[in-house]
Amino acid sequence: MSSRAPDSATAAAAATAAGLPRLALSRTTLAVLACQAAIVVLFLGTWQMASGPLIKPLWISSPTEIFALLVEWIGDGSLWPHMLVTLSEIVIGFLIGAACGIAVGIVLGSLPTVEHILSPLIVGLYAMPKVALAPLFILLFGIDLESKIALVVVTVFFLVLLNTISGMRSVDADLVNSLLVMGASRFDVFFKVTAPSALIWVFNGLRISVRYALTSAVYGEIIASNQGLGFLINRSKSMLDAAGTFAALGVLMLIGLTFTLLVARLGNIAMKWKE
């Protein structure tokens, strides 16, 4: 009887100790979320109070006016077609650019001589501002989705390409040679060593590409388009409608945040091989 009591006490203490990190983590997360919410509320409150007494609403509008306009756009359905167009440009262009960048990066990373020959051309094209290609693509493909998708594809392609090549270079050559000497095939080396090592570089490129993909799509819409969130921004600007401009920017911010978190989540899932 007496021997069971210490065992029970020990088990209870162990269970309590095991639960402490999870509880601490939960409290830390809640504290971070509370601080973030407080910062947002403080920013919006300051903005609301400054609109009118300190700064003309014509220039900065106000959070309440912007929110009311968003509710109106959602209610009458005018937001969804523009949002769908921009999302289509980003998603299609991102997927095509990322797939091509990874494929070409793997090929060039596996053929260092070819990569060395093409390196000046690749670096030169990468250094060129991609938004400068927007007028060219509009001339080639018109003002519809195709020109914006092409701009997103080119932007994402070079970012992912260079990160993939860097990932292929980061593989330990001694490890690869040792595996080949021990009888491993090139296929096994690639999927068990090279690909896992390059994966973190690839997802870094993908995560960085999200912002540039969004920028390219919206920039193309601002230059020449009759639909999309960039078109809404341009139209609101021409009408001196600050509320419309900030409302469209807010939607773009939410889209960018969602895509960034999604890519980061996919990267965490892909990194499970390290555990």
Side-chain angles (χ1 to χ4, degrees):
M1 186 75 176
S2 59
S3 62
R4 291 181 180 178
D7 292 341
S8 300
T10 302
T16 302
L20 282 176
R22 184 173 298 177
L23 182 60
L25 178 61
S26 177
R27 287 177 177 174
T28 302
T29 303
L30 290 175
V32 170
L33 291 175
C35 290
Q36 292 172 340
I39 291 172
V40 172
V41 171
L42 179 63
F43 172 75
L44 294 178
T46 304
W47 183 0
Q48 182 68 37
M49 290 187 293
S51 179
L54 299 178
I55 307 175
K56 291 183 179 181
L58 175 66
W59 308 121
I60 65 169
S61 187
S62 67
T64 53
E65 186 177 353
I66 294 168
F67 181 76
L69 182 59
L70 278 173
V71 172
E72 179 184 339
W73 283 354
I74 294 172
D76 62 19
S78 60
L79 175 64
W80 307 122
H82 296 288
M83 188 173 174
L84 180 61
V85 167
T86 302
L87 282 173
S88 300
E89 295 164 355
I90 295 170
V91 172
I92 296 174
F94 185 86
L95 291 177
I96 295 175
C100 294
I102 293 173
V104 176
I106 290 174
V107 172
L108 294 181
S110 303
L111 302 171
T113 303
V114 177
E115 189 271 327
H116 184 69
I117 294 172
L118 296 178
S119 179
L121 176 62
I122 294 173
V123 173
L125 292 174
Y126 170 74
M128 180 179 60
K130 305 305 177 296
V131 292
L133 296 173
L136 174 62
F137 287 145
I138 290 172
L139 286 174
L140 292 174
F141 303 110
I143 65 172
D144 293 328
L145 270 71
E146 290 81 1
S147 58
K148 286 74 176 181
I149 291 174
L151 188 59
V152 174
V153 168
V154 172
T155 302
V156 174
F157 171 78
F158 284 99
L159 287 169
V160 176
L161 170 66
L162 292 178
N163 275 271
T164 304
I165 293 175
S166 298
M168 297 286 288
R169 288 177 179 172
S170 68
V171 179
D172 189 345
D174 292 334
L175 176 60
V176 172
N177 292 331
S178 298
L179 291 173
L180 293 175
V181 168
M182 289 186 291
S185 65
R186 292 282 181 182
F187 183 85
D188 292 332
V189 170
F190 176 78
F191 282 99
K192 295 182 180 179
V193 178
T194 306
S197 298
L199 205 56
I200 187 171
W201 289 83
V202 172
F203 274 96
N204 281 337
L206 293 175
R207 187 168 61 252
I208 295 171
S209 299
V210 171
R211 179 173 68 87
Y212 289 97
L214 188 61
T215 301
S216 298
V218 174
Y219 184 78
E221 291 173 351
I222 290 176
I223 288 181
S225 180
N226 56 9
Q227 52 189 346
L229 294 174
F231 167 75
L232 281 182
I233 293 174
N234 197 36
R235 186 182 68 179
S236 299
K237 179 264 300 180
S238 63
M239 299 172 61
L240 297 179
D241 181 9
T245 301
F246 280 109
L249 288 173
V251 175
L252 284 173
M253 182 182 67
L254 291 176
I255 292 175
L257 177 62
T258 301
F259 272 94
T260 301
L261 293 176
L262 178 61
V263 172
R265 178 58 179 167
L266 292 175
N268 292 334
I269 294 174
M271 291 298 122
K272 291 293 185 181
W273 63 269
K274 285 189 173 182
E275 297 181 357

